Amino acid sequence: MDQPVLKKPALCGCLPGISREKAAEVLHTSQVDLLEWRLDLSIQSHSLQETLNALSLLAVTPRLPVLATNRPVREGGAFEGDEALRFEILRKAVAAGAEWVDLEEDTPMEIVAEFKAKKIGTVLSHHDFSGTPDRLTLQRLAERMTRKRADVLKIVTQANSPEDSLAVLDLIPFGRRQLGMEVIAFCMGDAGRWSRLACLLLGSPWTYVQLPGTLAAAPGQLTAAAMRA
């Protein structure tokens, strides 16, 4: 399986803990360019078995490309099981047809390499819900993350002031020029809302948006319609 080539800038719609019927509908929406399936939220809202059963929807084509995410509690997600099970669920999502997978920045390098060997896109992500470190700290973080050789880095922090977004957005050109990496970088919260759009203007591969009839997956997330407008 080869990772899809996405147009830029792209909108990634967040698929939270919704029903199988709603998921089947959203997989064909024209409002976004790809979908992030938050498996952890689906498990929380329904059950592990129902979520695994719903993965059969990925066999239906044509549909939007899917980024599978199983976010643990420590990174602001809802998955509370052990790491072995968490990765196994992601493996099942990829086997079902997911084109991308999101892995947290503390994921062992051998796990990242395992998913890359499946010829899918890999996103290595870091989330800080407490605030935004200084620019140098963020750059050092990006450098460490680059060593795991994922296809895309994602670094998202909480903005406590509008200017916090400047340091985070700077990671996009820094990643491209200094690290040779594609970087998704923006801030959460009301103060960082504008950075969700600005990141696209700076070259972020995509930004995350809220789909109609669903809850926002993170603070400050804009709807797909608002982002396009």
Side-chain angles (χ1 to χ4, degrees):
M1 184 191 311
D2 294 323
Q3 68 188 70
V5 176
L6 296 168
K7 66 180 182 180
K8 289 187 179 182
L11 300 186
C12 179
C14 293
L15 191 62
I18 60 177
S19 67
R20 179 189 177 96
E21 292 71 24
K22 179 67 175 177
E25 174 188 331
V26 171
L27 282 167
H28 301 88
T29 182
S30 60
Q31 297 196 35
V32 295
D33 306 294
L34 74 158
L35 293 167
E36 180 188 36
W37 194 330
R38 285 291 301 272
L39 299 169
D40 56 308
L41 297 179
S42 180
I43 293 168
Q44 181 186 54
S45 298
H46 301 284
S47 71
L48 174 57
Q49 192 56 55
E50 285 183 65
T51 300
L52 295 178
N53 291 342
L55 291 176
S56 63
L57 294 170
L58 298 180
V60 178
T61 56
R63 59 163 174 78
L64 290 171
V66 168
L67 164 66
T69 300
N70 194 12
R71 189 81 67 215
V73 172
R74 69 174 184 277
E75 279 273 333
F79 188 79
E80 298 181 313
D82 63 39
E83 287 291 86
L85 176 59
R86 193 170 69 82
F87 290 130
E88 185 57 31
I89 294 168
L90 286 172
R91 292 186 186 100
K92 290 182 182 299
V94 171
E99 289 85 359
W100 291 79
V101 67
D102 183 302
L103 303 167
E104 286 68 29
E105 56 106 357
D106 59 357
T107 300
M109 187 174 289
E110 60 268 23
I111 297 292
V112 179
E114 173 195 337
F115 280 102
K116 279 187 65 68
K118 298 178 187 294
K119 304 300 182 183
I120 60 167
T122 51
V123 178
L124 195 68
S125 63
H126 171 87
H127 299 80
D128 188 338
F129 289 85
S130 63
T132 300
D134 62 76
R135 186 176 266 98
L136 181 59
T137 299
L138 288 168
Q139 291 177 351
R140 295 296 174 264
L141 170 64
E143 289 171 350
R144 292 196 303 273
M145 292 172 68
T146 298
R147 295 173 194 149
K148 294 189 177 179
R149 300 179 181 177
D151 297 299
V152 176
L153 302 184
K154 178 189 178 189
I155 298 177
V156 179
T157 67
Q158 177 71 25
N160 294 320
S161 65
E163 57 267 28
D164 280 345
S165 295
L166 297 175
V168 176
L169 290 170
D170 187 56
L171 290 171
I172 299 171
F174 174 79
R176 187 184 306 112
R177 296 168 186 167
Q178 304 299 320
L179 307 176
M181 287 292 300
E182 295 270 14
V183 180
I184 300 167
F186 56 83
C187 281
M188 297 177 287
D190 289 340
R193 189 185 298 267
W194 67 276
S195 68
R196 291 177 176 272
L197 171 59
C199 71
L200 294 178
L201 304 177
L202 289 169
S204 176
W206 62 77
T207 193
Y208 295 79
V209 295
Q210 179 184 349
L211 292 166
T214 67
L215 298 174
Q221 192 171 76
L222 296 165
T223 64
M227 186 67 76
R228 288 202 181 279

